[in-house]
Amino acid sequence: MSCKDVYHSASPAAMIYLRSADLTTMVHVCIYHPLDRWERMNVEMDTAAKERWARSASTHRPFHGVEGELWPVRLLEQGQTSPQAGEKVVNDLASRLADHVLGAPLEAYWVSKGLIRPDAVKTVNWSALSLARETPALARRFWVSKFASNHCAVGTRLHQRQLTDSPSCPRGCPEEETSQHVLSCPNGNDLWDSLASILLQWGRKNKAAPGLMEALITGISHWRDGTAEHAPLRYWPSDLRTAYESQTAQGWGGVLFGFTSTAWERFQSSHFKAIRSRRSSRRWVAALIRNTVSFHRRAPGFFPPSSG
C-alpha cells in the first residue's frame, strides 16, 4: 500500500493528523501499516480534545466546577450546591483534593474502630497528626496504622487466622486481646507506670505547659481502669479543664494512637506565649504524638511478642 493509499483510507481525524505530521511520521506510517481501529480512535479523540480546549480557551464563561486546569478549583462542603460557595484551592491541589475526597470516609473508619467518638470528629487535631507522621520511617508509619486498626498480630487477629486456639489475652486476662486491650490490660499496670514516667520526663524536658502532662497521664490512666470522668477537674485551671473535657468527649483511648484534641495545642500555645517562646505549639503536639505512639519501643515487655 502506498502512502497515497494510506492517506485516503484514513479517517477524517487521521487525515488531519497526517496533514500536520512531520516527514518522519509520514514515512513511519507509510512503511509499517495504515491506522488500525484503535489508532484511528486515539487520533479522533486527540483531535476532538484539542478542538475542545481551543474553544474553551477562547470562550469566557462563569466557573462551574472542577472541569480542567483553566479555572481555579473550589471544594464544596457537604450540603453546598453553588461552586462559588466552596473553598478556593490555589496550591497543593493534589493533597487538598485527597483530603476532600478521603477525609470523611477516613473519619468514619476511625470512628468505627472506636478510637474517636462520632460527635467529636472535628475536635481531633488532624494537622498535628499529619505533621507527626512525616518524620518516622515508612515501615514505622505502616506499623502504627496496622496496630491502630487492629490489623497486627494481636489475639483476635491470630485467632481469626487460625494460628491460636483462643483470642483471649495471653497475660491471663479473660478479655479478648485487641490493640486497645493491649494498651488497657490491667495486668500491664506496672509497665504502664514506667511508661507514664517516661512521658512526664519528656514533658519537662520540652517545656510542657504546667499540668498538661499530668492531665494527659491522668486521663489515660483513668481510661485504662474505666474512670476517666472522675478526674480532679475542680483543682485545675479553667483552660486545662477545657482541654481535658474536650479530650474526654473525643475519647482517651485514641490518645495512644495519636488522636489528640485541638484544645491541647491551644493550651500549649498559651504557655509558649507566656514564657515568650517562639516554638510552634503544633509541632510540639506532633512531637508529643510521636513519643506517645512509640512507647512500646522504649519499654520492652509492655507489648508481648504476639502483638508485634
Side-chain angles (χ1 to χ4, degrees):
M1 182 180 289
S2 66
C3 290
K4 182 177 180 180
D5 294 333
V6 172
Y7 182 84
H8 287 294
S9 64
S11 65
M15 291 171 66
I16 296 174
Y17 171 78
L18 292 174
R19 289 194 193 104
S20 62
D22 57 23
L23 180 60
T24 302
T25 305
M26 285 290 294
V27 171
H28 174 80
V29 173
C30 293
I31 291 176
Y32 287 95
H33 57 76
L35 299 181
D36 61 20
R37 176 172 176 269
W38 292 105
E39 291 170 334
R40 291 197 303 271
M41 291 174 63
N42 184 54
V43 171
E44 291 171 1
M45 182 60 68
D46 182 68
T47 302
K50 290 179 179 177
E51 292 176 352
R52 179 186 179 282
W53 280 112
R55 291 194 303 270
S56 299
S58 60
T59 303
H60 298 284
R61 53 183 174 174
F63 170 76
H64 57 277
V66 180
E67 190 171 321
E69 297 91 357
L70 297 185
W71 299 280
V73 178
R74 290 180 182 271
L75 301 179
L76 302 184
E77 298 297 334
Q78 186 175 6
Q80 293 180 339
T81 57
S82 171
Q84 299 301 329
E87 178 184 0
K88 184 176 179 180
V89 179
V90 294
N91 58 8
D92 198 12
L93 179 59
S95 298
R96 298 297 300 279
L97 285 176
D99 291 343
H100 185 71
V101 174
L102 300 176
L106 284 177
E107 291 171 357
Y109 176 80
W110 292 119
V111 168
S112 71
K113 291 295 181 180
L115 296 180
I116 314 172
R117 293 176 181 169
D119 56 346
V121 170
K122 300 305 180 183
T123 66
V124 177
N125 198 335
W126 298 105
S127 298
L129 184 57
S130 178
L131 192 61
R133 65 182 296 274
E134 293 179 358
T135 303
L138 183 61
R140 173 64 183 154
R141 298 201 300 266
F142 283 167
W143 193 94
V144 171
S145 298
K146 290 173 64 178
F147 185 77
S149 60
N150 204 50
H151 282 82
C152 59
V154 292
T156 52
R157 187 63 60 181
L158 292 174
H159 184 66
Q160 183 182 30
R161 297 172 184 170
Q162 300 182 354
L163 296 176
T164 59
D165 296 331
S166 171
S168 299
C169 175
R171 305 171 199 82
C173 180
E175 297 186 24
E176 293 186 351
E177 187 192 38
T178 62
S179 295
Q180 290 200 55
H181 177 75
V182 169
L183 299 173
S184 61
C185 179
N187 293 333
N189 287 339
D190 292 340
L191 287 172
W192 164 249
D193 291 341
S194 66
L195 294 177
S197 176
I198 293 174
L199 188 57
L200 289 171
Q201 292 175 13
W202 181 91
R204 286 192 292 268
K205 180 180 178 181
N206 290 273
K207 299 181 179 180
L212 189 151
M213 304 309 298
E214 290 78 5
L216 281 175
I217 294 299
T218 298
I220 296 172
S221 298
H222 284 296
W223 166 75
R224 295 185 72 252
D225 58 27
T227 58
E229 68 276 8
H230 300 307
L233 300 182
R234 63 181 180 275
Y235 301 115
W236 293 350
S238 59
D239 49 355
L240 183 58
R241 288 201 305 270
T242 299
Y244 188 94
E245 291 170 347
S246 175
Q247 188 66 59
T248 301
Q250 180 182 306
W252 282 99
V255 173
L256 294 175
F257 297 101
F259 296 100
T260 61
S261 170
T262 53
W264 299 114
E265 180 182 332
R266 293 193 296 270
F267 184 61
Q268 183 64 29
S269 178
S270 299
H271 174 64
F272 280 153
K273 291 178 180 178
I275 63 176
R276 298 184 178 180
S277 173
R278 300 180 65 182
R279 294 182 61 179
S280 167
S281 56
R282 179 161 299 172
R283 290 189 176 278
W284 187 92
V285 174
L288 171 65
I289 292 173
R290 285 194 295 269
N291 280 270
T292 303
V293 299
S294 64
F295 268 164
H296 66 291
R297 301 294 183 189
R298 301 187 178 194
F302 185 66
F303 291 79
S306 65
S307 63

